[in-house]
Amino acid sequence: MGNVPSTVKHCLSSEQLLLDYPWLKSWLLEKKEIVPTEVKIQLINMLSGTGLSVIEATSFVSSKWVPQMADHSDVLRGIQRAPHVRYPVLTPNLQGFQDAVAAGASEVAVFGSASETFSQKNINCSIDESMVRFEDVINSALEKHIPVRGYVSCVLGCPHEGYIEPAKVAEVARRLYELGCYEISLGDTIGVGTPGSTSKMLQSVVKEVPPQALAVHCHDTYGQALANILTALQMGVSVVDSAVAGLGGCPYAQGSSGNVSTEDVLYMLHGMGIETGVSLPKVIEAGEFICTALHRRTNSKVAQAQSVKF
Amino acid sequence: IDSQCISPVLSDVAAIDTTTHGYPECVKIVEVGPRDGLQNEKEIVPTEVKIQLINMLSGTGLSVIEATSFVSSKWVPQMADHSDVLRGIQRAPHVRYPVLTPNLQGFQDAVAAGASEVAVFGSASETFSQKNINCSIDESMVRFEDVINSALEKHIPVRGYVSCVLGCPHEGYIEPAKVAEVARRLYELGCYEISLGDTIGVGTPGSTSKMLQSVVKEVPPQALAVHCHDTYGQALANILTALQMGVSVVDSAVAGLGGCPYAQGSSGNVSTEDVLYMLHGMGIETGVSLPKVIEAGEFICTALHRRTNSKVAQAQSVKF
C-alpha cells in the first residue's frame, strides 16, 4: 500500500529554519500567523477522515525556537485519533521525547542532515553530535516500543554548502537506520533536485538502506517535485511525504513554494493506478479549510483547477 | 511496506529500468510562448512588445520559436497583428519561426508575410474540433490537406498539432487509439512532426504512457513532441514519462504564459524555465540558456503586469 504521510508539523513550522536570518525573522514576526490550537486540531481531525494513514501532528521542540509549535501537548492531546492512523511527532532530543510521551505520543521522529553546515545552523551541533542525541531518543523510544522515523535534510543540495555528495546522504541515512529508525525520509530541503540528482542520490542510498525503508520528501521550489517523486517510485521507493495544500513556503527563497501538495501527489498516483487509500476530494476539503483559516491561496494546482473549472 | 504496490507503476510505464532510464541525449524545445502563450493571455499585447519578446528569445539558444497565428482577428484578436509581427522580428540564423495557419487563406497570408514554416491544429476530440474550429475532424483534415499540399509545393515544412490527447473539456476521456489515428493522418498528409497536446492538463504519467504506447505504433517517436499543460501540476512528470518513451521534442512557454481557458485562473502551458531546469539537471543537452530565458520571461511578465508561472524564475528572483 502506498503510504502517503502528510507533514502537518513541517508545513506549519518553517520558522524553525529562519533563526539564522534575523531580518527574515522580523519580517515573519510582523506577518506571521500563529495558528490557533483549535484550528490545528480541526485540520488534523479532517485529515484523519481522508484515508491518510500517517499524519505528522506536531513538534516537541522548545517554543523558544519554534513558537508555532508551542502548543504541541495540547494539540496531541486534543486531536481525535482515528483507528488505523498514526500521529508521529518530532522529538529533537530526550527532553522533547519525554514531553511527547507524557502527552501520549506513540510514534516519534528525529531530524538529521546530510550537510554539516546546515546541521550546525539548524540544530546547533555537528552531524556526529546530533547522532548522539538521536541515539538517546531512539534507545528510549525503542525501550517503550515506540517506532522512530528518521529524516535526512539537504539530500540534493544545501543552502549553505551547495552540492551534497550522494555518499554523504547514504552515510547519514545508514547511521539513522542502524540506530533503529524504521524508515528514513530523504528531504530535498531547498527543492533544487531534479530526476538526475534524485536518481544519483538514491542509487547511493539504496546500497546502505533498503528501498522499502525509504521515503522521499520533495520540495517544489523549482517545480521538480512530482518528477522527482516519479523517479523515486521507479527506483523502488513507495513512501512519499507531502503537505495538504502545499503548506509551508521555502525559507531560502522568499515567496517560493516549499512542500509538494498532497493533492497534486495523489492526483498523479491515482492517475497511474497506484493505490493510496486516500480520498482526494476530502484532502482538497481539508486544504480549503486550512487556507481559509490562514487567509491564503492553496499551493495545490489540483485544488486550484478543481475549484474553478466549469 | 508492501513493495508490490509498485507493480502498477511498472506495468503502466514503459521502458522500465529501476536504476537508470534511457533518456535522449538532446531535447529540442519548441517555444510557444509568443503564440500559444500570448493567445491565452487576457491583455492585448502591443506589437512591439511581441517583437521584442521574440527577439529576446531568439538570443537564448532556442531553435524553434512559434511566432504568431494567421487566424482571423475576429476569432483571436490577440493575433491580429500577425503579419506585422512576422515582418518585424529580427530572425536569428539557426532559429525557425513557425506560424499557425488554420486554412489556405491563413497560409497564403503567412507566405506573403515571409513565413518559412507553418503549423496546423487538429483535435483528437470530435466535440472539441466542432467547438474550436467549427468543423468535424474529417472536415478539418480536408482543410489541412490543402494547406499541407500548398506548403510542401513551396518546400515549407508543416508541423501538426493534436489537441485533447489526454482528455477533452467536453467529452472527458479520449481513447488513445483515436489520438493515434489523428496523429497518423496528419503525419501521412505530410507533417514532419506531430505535437501531442494535453489541452486541459489532466494527464498523468499513467495516461501519458498509455496514449504514447498507442501513438508510437502509428508515428515514430522521433517525429513526436509533447505539449503538456500544467493545470494539475503534472506537466514535468508527463514530460519525463514521454522522454522515457523516446520522445525528444518538448513544447513549452516562457514564464508559463497562457492560462487555461477551461479552468479560469489556473495555469496552462508548462514553463520553459522549469522544463530547462529539469532537462539540464538530467544532463540532457538543449542548447538553450536558462538565465536568458528567465530574462525574457521577466520582460514579458513586466509588460503584462503579471507574475511568472515559472517556479524556477520565482525561486531565482528571490533567493539569497
Side-chain angles (χ1 to χ4, degrees):
Chain A
M1 177 74 115
N3 223 353
V4 186
S6 168
T7 57
V8 173
K9 181 285 309 176
H10 185 82
C11 65
L12 294 176
S13 71
S14 54
E15 293 95 292
Q16 179 176 358
L17 305 174
L18 289 167
L19 297 173
D20 203 47
Y21 299 93
W23 68 266
L24 200 47
K25 186 177 178 182
S26 359
W27 170 79
L28 205 73
L29 281 171
E30 286 170 52
K31 289 194 141 229
K32 93 176 155 192
E33 192 139 357
I34 293 284
V35 181
T37 305
E38 54 271 19
V39 170
K40 288 174 187 160
I41 288 172
Q42 191 175 342
L43 173 63
I44 295 168
N45 289 344
M46 289 181 79
L47 292 170
S48 293
T50 61
L52 285 163
S53 57
V54 185
I55 302 169
E56 204 169 56
T58 188
S59 175
F60 283 79
V61 66
S62 159
S63 58
K64 181 179 68 173
W65 297 114
V66 188
Q68 183 74 273
M69 297 285 124
D71 57 358
H72 41 60
S73 298
D74 293 336
V75 168
L76 196 55
R77 289 198 186 101
I79 56 176
Q80 285 156 13
R81 299 201 198 198
H84 315 301
V85 183
R86 288 150 40 208
Y87 301 90
V89 298
L90 226 71
T91 51
N93 49 40
L94 206 51
Q95 182 62 59
F97 173 74
Q98 287 158 358
D99 294 343
V101 171
S106 49
E107 182 169 330
V108 299
V110 293
F111 209 103
S113 176
S115 156
E116 202 60 70
T117 313
F118 192 84
S119 188
Q120 289 286 0
K121 287 180 179 288
N122 203 37
I123 54 177
N124 288 307
C125 64
S126 68
I127 295 176
D128 283 347
E129 285 163 346
S130 73
M131 290 295 163
V132 173
R133 272 187 219 174
F134 300 152
E135 190 168 9
D136 288 342
V137 171
I138 295 167
N139 287 343
S140 305
L142 296 183
E143 269 170 36
K144 295 183 179 334
H145 306 292
I146 290 177
V148 185
R149 190 186 209 227
Y151 282 91
V152 183
S153 62
C154 297
V155 301
L156 296 174
C158 169
H160 314 292
E161 291 186 17
Y163 177 71
I164 297 293
E165 287 287 344
K168 185 67 184 176
V169 179
E171 179 204 326
V172 174
R174 175 186 54 74
R175 289 174 78 174
L176 286 169
Y177 189 62
E178 285 176 351
L179 283 177
C181 293
Y182 75 91
E183 190 170 272
I184 311 298
S185 172
L186 304 166
D188 180 13
T189 307
I190 49 173
V192 290
T194 64
S197 55
T198 297
S199 168
K200 286 194 175 77
M201 182 273 295
L202 284 172
Q203 281 175 39
S204 269
V205 175
V206 299
K207 293 176 185 162
E208 309 286 348
V209 180
Q212 302 89 325
L214 293 174
V216 286
H217 185 113
C218 299
H219 277 192
D220 205 37
T221 318
Y222 287 77
Q224 309 293 307
L226 289 191
N228 293 342
I229 289 167
L230 182 62
T231 300
L233 295 177
Q234 291 174 342
M235 294 179 71
V237 174
S238 62
V239 183
V240 176
D241 295 3
S242 59
V244 61
L247 291 178
C250 177
Y252 299 94
Q254 184 187 335
S256 290
S257 60
N259 284 307
V260 68
S261 307
T262 300
E263 298 91 319
D264 298 1
V265 173
L266 287 172
Y267 186 90
M268 180 175 80
L269 297 176
H270 293 175
M272 296 167 69
I274 295 175
E275 295 278 347
T276 65
V278 185
S279 157
L280 173 54
K282 289 187 176 172
V283 174
I284 291 176
E285 214 179 304
E288 280 166 4
F289 162 75
I290 191 61
C291 287
T292 304
L294 288 174
H295 313 295
R296 54 159 291 174
R297 282 193 76 185
T298 180
N299 274 335
S300 159
K301 287 202 161 174
V302 169
Q304 280 171 38
Q306 296 277 27
S307 70
V308 296
K309 90 183 175 85
F310 47 92
Chain B
I1 301 294
D2 180 2
S3 62
Q4 283 191 330
C5 69
I6 293 301
S7 303
V9 181
L10 298 181
S11 62
D12 281 357
V13 182
I16 292 303
D17 173 328
T18 54
T19 53
T20 56
H21 284 272
Y23 287 113
E25 281 177 16
C26 307
V27 163
K28 180 178 76 175
I29 301 285
V30 173
E31 171 59 48
V32 299
R35 200 280 304 169
D36 190 16
L38 293 184
Q39 187 170 308
N40 286 299
E41 291 284 331
K42 289 190 296 290
E43 198 160 319
I44 295 287
V45 179
T47 306
E48 54 272 19
V49 170
K50 287 176 183 152
I51 288 172
Q52 191 174 341
L53 173 63
I54 294 169
N55 289 345
M56 287 182 81
L57 291 168
S58 294
T60 62
L62 285 161
S63 58
V64 187
I65 301 168
E66 202 174 67
T68 187
S69 176
F70 282 80
V71 67
S72 159
S73 57
K74 181 176 65 166
W75 297 115
V76 187
Q78 181 75 275
M79 298 285 126
D81 56 359
H82 40 63
S83 298
D84 292 336
V85 168
L86 196 55
R87 289 197 185 100
I89 57 176
Q90 285 155 15
R91 298 201 199 198
H94 314 302
V95 183
R96 288 148 44 205
Y97 300 90
V99 298
L100 231 68
T101 51
N103 49 42
L104 206 51
Q105 182 61 58
F107 173 75
Q108 286 157 357
D109 293 344
V111 171
S116 48
E117 182 169 330
V118 299
V120 293
F121 210 102
S123 176
S125 155
E126 202 59 69
T127 314
F128 191 84
S129 187
Q130 288 285 359
K131 287 184 180 287
N132 205 36
I133 55 176
N134 288 307
C135 64
S136 68
I137 295 176
D138 282 348
E139 286 163 346
S140 74
M141 290 296 163
V142 173
R143 271 187 219 174
F144 300 152
E145 192 169 7
D146 288 343
V147 172
I148 295 168
N149 287 343
S150 306
L152 296 182
E153 271 171 34
K154 294 183 175 344
H155 307 292
I156 291 177
V158 185
R159 189 186 210 227
Y161 281 91
V162 184
S163 63
C164 295
V165 302
L166 296 174
C168 169
H170 315 290
E171 291 187 18
Y173 177 71
I174 296 294
E175 285 288 344
K178 185 68 185 176
V179 179
E181 180 204 326
V182 175
R184 176 186 53 74
R185 291 173 77 174
L186 287 168
Y187 189 62
E188 285 175 352
L189 284 177
C191 292
Y192 75 91
E193 190 170 272
I194 311 297
S195 172
L196 305 165
D198 180 12
T199 306
I200 48 173
V202 289
T204 64
S207 55
T208 297
S209 168
K210 286 195 175 75
M211 180 273 295
L212 284 172
Q213 281 174 34
S214 269
V215 175
V216 299
K217 293 175 186 164
E218 309 286 350
V219 181
Q222 304 88 322
L224 293 175
V226 285
H227 184 112
C228 299
H229 278 193
D230 205 36
T231 318
Y232 287 75
Q234 308 294 305
L236 289 191
N238 293 342
I239 289 167
L240 190 67
T241 300
L243 296 178
Q244 290 173 358
M245 295 179 71
V247 174
S248 62
V249 182
V250 176
D251 297 3
S252 59
V254 60
L257 290 176
C260 178
Y262 299 94
Q264 189 188 337
S266 289
S267 60
N269 285 306
V270 67
S271 307
T272 301
E273 298 91 319
D274 298 1
V275 173
L276 287 172
Y277 186 89
M278 181 174 80
L279 297 177
H280 293 173
M282 297 167 67
I284 294 174
E285 295 276 349
T286 64
V288 185
S289 158
L290 173 54
K292 289 187 175 172
V293 175
I294 290 175
E295 217 180 301
E298 280 166 3
F299 162 74
I300 192 63
C301 288
T302 305
L304 287 172
H305 312 293
R306 57 158 286 176
R307 282 193 77 185
T308 181
N309 273 337
S310 158
K311 287 203 161 173
V312 169
Q314 278 171 38
Q316 296 279 25
S317 71
V318 296
K319 94 184 172 88
F320 47 91

